[in-house]
Amino acid sequence: MVTVAASGARAVARCLELSRSPYSDRADRLFRGWLTPAYRATIDRVGEWMAAAGMTVRRDAAINLIGRYEGTRPDAPALVIGSHLDSVRDGGAYDGPLGVMLGIECVAALHADGRRLPFAIEVIGFGDEEGSRFPAAMLGSRAVAGTLHPDAADMADAAGISVDAALREFGSAAATLATARRAPGTMLAYLEAHIEQGPVLEADRLALGTVTGIAAQLRLEVTVTGVAGHAGTVTMPLRRDALAAAARMVSAIEDIACAAASDLVATVGRIEVAPGAANVIAGEVRFTVDIRAGATDRRDRAGTAIGQAMRAIARARSVTLAVATIHDLPPCPCDPRLMDLLDDAVVATGQPSRRLMSGAGHDAMAMVALGPVAMLFIRCAGGISHHPAEHVDPADADSAFAAMRGFIDRLGDEYRDA
Ligand code: GLV
Ligand code: MN
Ligand code: MN
């Protein structure tokens, strides 16, 4: 049997393997939703890789995949290395899986050398971070962090399948989700490696960056209800067109974000029109609004302004408006001491340290409820992500692998000395 040594390049190759059937729910593109057939195939395959790296493998009640490599001190809290295994629709191969694959590589290298740290290392592949199947995000990491709202179990996907029914297909159930919670005090630190999903590292000609924190997120689901009617007979003054009203709202949202002239961003990324026919005035429109900023007050000021603008448009056009908050996460600061360790490990790979903020959301935002978090960003070509063209140079993944190993060793030394 040929034994392939652990490496960042192997992590990249495994991400590419996972981007195709049977690990994608679509034949031509990558889409892997939580608890779908592709998700089942993926956790089976990734579980094999975890086991081969010397880990004991289990699934929790949220069907997160967890591999554990024991340390020398059984009572020590674990270093958790994680990221997500689900994808957006028409996503790229690396957003999520690369962090899980690199965690497995780090453990595989320790296992091959017969080395153990004082603490255990757990590698977690979270089931849902993107929120691409059910109308909420980070269900996997929030279940582990114990911050999942009980109402999460009542959600259904676009086909009407409830979270409970989907979990039952995997031998779990919504009523048991609370058992996925990790006991307080059992996590020494959380490390997440992730592609940057932006152009900063590439512009600076750097492979790696240390994340300082993650922007606050607010996600709304908006329903605009007008009156459907015949496109040929209802005169313009008599219409209550839900789509025309929603279009004004989308423009107002963009205007508010642009006027802020700060790190504030606001996005309408999904819109559904009913009944959706060329010759029928739209009776109902549903759309999402995603608002982010480095500070909660900036995000919330924009949220308030957006709410006021949408209500004014609804009143002026005699349509009704319903707004539900589906996701609300404060900003997530990374731990200063862990950032220093990560900087040192990055410098040891031969590049200068580079700190940067994350506008994208990550599982670290949920895991911070359990202990200090650190994130390592890896350059991706053109900063492109949430797109099939996502690309990571295997040499950059090798640098990330080296930095993560350096981080683990430094954390081990610090723990021994403490
Ligand atoms: C996840 O990719 C997010 O930032 O929404
Ligand atoms: Mn993503
Ligand atoms: Mn991601």
Side-chain angles (χ1 to χ4, degrees):
M1 193 177 79
V2 181
T3 311
V4 179
S7 69
R10 183 168 72 173
V12 165
R14 286 179 168 178
C15 289
L16 286 173
E17 177 178 338
L18 294 179
S19 69
R20 298 183 284 267
S21 181
Y23 310 111
S24 170
D25 288 309
R26 285 191 52 169
D28 52 340
R29 295 274 175 110
L30 172 60
F31 172 56
R32 185 167 51 243
W34 181 43
L35 305 175
T36 60
Y39 184 71
R40 188 189 297 277
T42 299
I43 55 175
D44 285 348
R45 187 78 177 117
V46 177
E48 287 169 10
W49 292 331
M50 286 178 167
M55 287 182 264
T56 50
V57 184
R58 68 182 177 93
R59 296 167 188 190
D60 67 11
I63 317 298
N64 295 307
L65 183 70
I66 305 174
R68 183 174 168 97
Y69 184 70
E70 293 298 339
T72 54
R73 299 188 201 168
D75 54 339
L79 166 64
V80 177
I81 302 178
S83 197
H84 57 100
L85 292 172
D86 66 325
S87 81
V88 292
R89 288 175 193 279
D90 297 348
Y94 304 99
D95 173 7
L98 184 59
V100 184
M101 298 307 123
L102 284 168
I104 295 172
E105 293 303 303
C106 290
V107 174
L110 288 169
H111 182 55
D113 293 346
R115 283 185 58 212
R116 303 239 169 220
L117 276 297
F119 43 78
I121 299 179
E122 288 191 26
V123 178
I124 307 186
F126 294 110
D128 170 76
E129 186 267 4
E130 302 285 8
S132 49
R133 177 169 180 192
F134 296 97
M138 293 188 203
L139 296 169
S141 43
R142 283 197 286 148
V144 172
T147 55
L148 203 53
H149 195 279
D151 290 353
D154 301 333
M155 292 182 304
D157 68 8
I161 299 168
S162 67
V163 167
D164 185 52
L167 283 168
R168 283 177 188 278
E169 289 285 316
F170 280 73
S172 185
T176 67
L177 270 179
T179 66
R181 180 182 191 170
R182 201 181 169 90
T186 62
M187 188 178 87
L188 174 67
Y190 174 78
L191 172 64
E192 182 165 354
H194 202 286
I195 56 169
E196 182 203 335
Q197 306 184 275
V200 173
L201 291 173
E202 190 175 67
D204 286 359
R205 299 174 185 275
L206 295 172
L208 306 174
T210 301
V211 178
T212 53
I214 308 172
Q217 299 186 352
L218 182 66
R219 211 168 288 169
L220 311 173
E221 182 152 284
V222 179
T223 307
V224 181
T225 308
V227 178
H230 196 294
T233 60
V234 184
T235 57
M236 298 312 283
L238 296 179
R239 292 184 180 204
R240 291 166 63 195
D241 183 331
L243 182 54
R248 301 269 164 147
M249 292 177 193
V250 173
S251 291
I253 292 164
E254 190 187 41
D255 290 347
I256 289 166
C258 290
S262 67
D263 62 350
L264 181 93
V265 286
T267 308
V268 175
R270 198 183 77 220
I271 186 159
E272 288 155 20
V273 180
N279 58 355
V280 184
I281 299 161
E284 186 180 276
V285 173
R286 293 161 88 90
F287 62 91
T288 53
V289 188
D290 180 300
I291 309 166
R292 305 185 192 199
T296 313
D297 60 341
R298 268 200 306 285
R299 179 201 72 171
D300 290 348
R301 269 201 306 278
T304 303
I306 285 171
Q308 285 167 348
M310 290 196 301
R311 279 194 296 280
I313 293 164
R315 263 195 312 277
R317 295 183 152 257
S318 301
V319 295
T320 58
L321 180 74
V323 182
T325 299
I326 54 172
H327 188 61
D328 180 354
L329 283 173
C332 166
C334 290
D335 182 75
R337 185 181 58 86
L338 296 182
M339 283 193 281
D340 287 345
L341 289 185
L342 205 46
D343 277 348
D344 288 351
V346 165
V347 169
T349 69
Q351 69 149 80
S353 64
R354 173 69 161 92
R355 292 193 171 190
L356 69 171
M357 173 84 192
S358 174
H362 299 288
D363 293 298
M365 297 181 94
M367 296 301 282
V368 76
L370 292 170
V373 303
M375 283 200 71
L376 177 68
F377 267 176
I378 303 156
R379 169 169 57 190
C380 57
I384 296 168
S385 183
H386 283 186
H387 189 280
E390 214 172 70
H391 175 75
V392 174
D393 187 334
D396 288 353
D398 280 330
S399 299
F401 171 61
M404 289 170 78
R405 294 188 67 191
F407 173 87
I408 293 167
D409 286 344
R410 284 167 174 78
L411 195 66
D413 291 345
E414 210 187 69
Y415 193 81
R416 274 186 213 96
D417 296 345

